[in-house]
Amino acid sequence: MTQPIVSPDRADIDRDPGLPDEWWADLRQALALLAEVEGVKTTVRDGWIERAFPQFLGIPAPAKVERVTGHGDLHWGNLTVAPLCLLDWERWGLVPFGYDAGLLHANSLLVPEVAARIRKEFAPTLDTPAGRIGELAALAEMLQAVARGWYPDLAPRLVARAEALTGVRPPVPVRSEVSA
């Protein structure tokens, strides 16, 4: 690997990586092309969503989840700076629409200007009912990680984002028993 990873030591970021407009266009295109590929496995399963939404978001699971093929683990430790390359494909498969963008957004909440850029770049996805469900699934997964002791600095922002989307303050359990 000759391209530097955006965040080599962590999934989230704590500073703006200063990525050019071309990088963002390439990411949008890569995710759009990936969404067109026929998925062979479901990465974020319905059973997990049915348990995780009430446990980590404090809301009922959605009755219907629109799915597309996605990376399944889109965070800053799996993206290179230039040229863009998506790394670590073990979780690729069918994910809720908006999940990849929602997961990257969640991992950007410590840097408001980057989080805002993601919201702008992926507004056509995230600002839809299906995209909102995908973002909530990503937040539920991140809050499950918080319950396991991960992301202590990011946790309050994840809770705040989930509450902003749902109007419900998510419970933050001490420990999680829900498995993916």
Side-chain angles (χ1 to χ4, degrees), residues 67-148:
R67 295 182 185 279
V68 296
T69 301
H71 183 271
D73 196 19
L74 194 68
H75 61 69
W76 297 105
N78 284 338
L79 296 168
T80 61
V81 177
L84 169 69
C85 184
L86 281 66
L87 308 172
D88 188 13
W89 285 89
E90 65 191 34
R91 284 196 66 196
W92 83 276
L94 295 171
V95 298
F97 180 79
Y99 177 83
D100 281 343
L103 191 59
L104 190 60
H105 180 261
N107 278 288
S108 304
L109 292 174
L110 290 176
V111 187
E113 56 273 12
V114 176
R117 179 75 187 252
I118 292 167
R119 297 234 49 98
K120 176 185 163 214
E121 295 292 337
F122 293 99
T125 298
L126 294 173
D127 293 345
T128 65
R132 181 175 169 268
I133 290 169
E135 182 177 359
L136 286 170
L139 285 164
E141 185 174 293
M142 295 288 292
L143 289 168
Q144 180 179 15
V146 166
R148 293 176 173 165

Side-chain angles (χ1 to χ4, degrees), residues 44-60:
V44 180
R45 295 187 302 278
D46 288 335
W48 179 85
I49 288 173
E50 289 167 10
R51 294 184 308 275
F53 271 55
Q55 185 173 353
F56 299 107
L57 299 172
I59 61 171

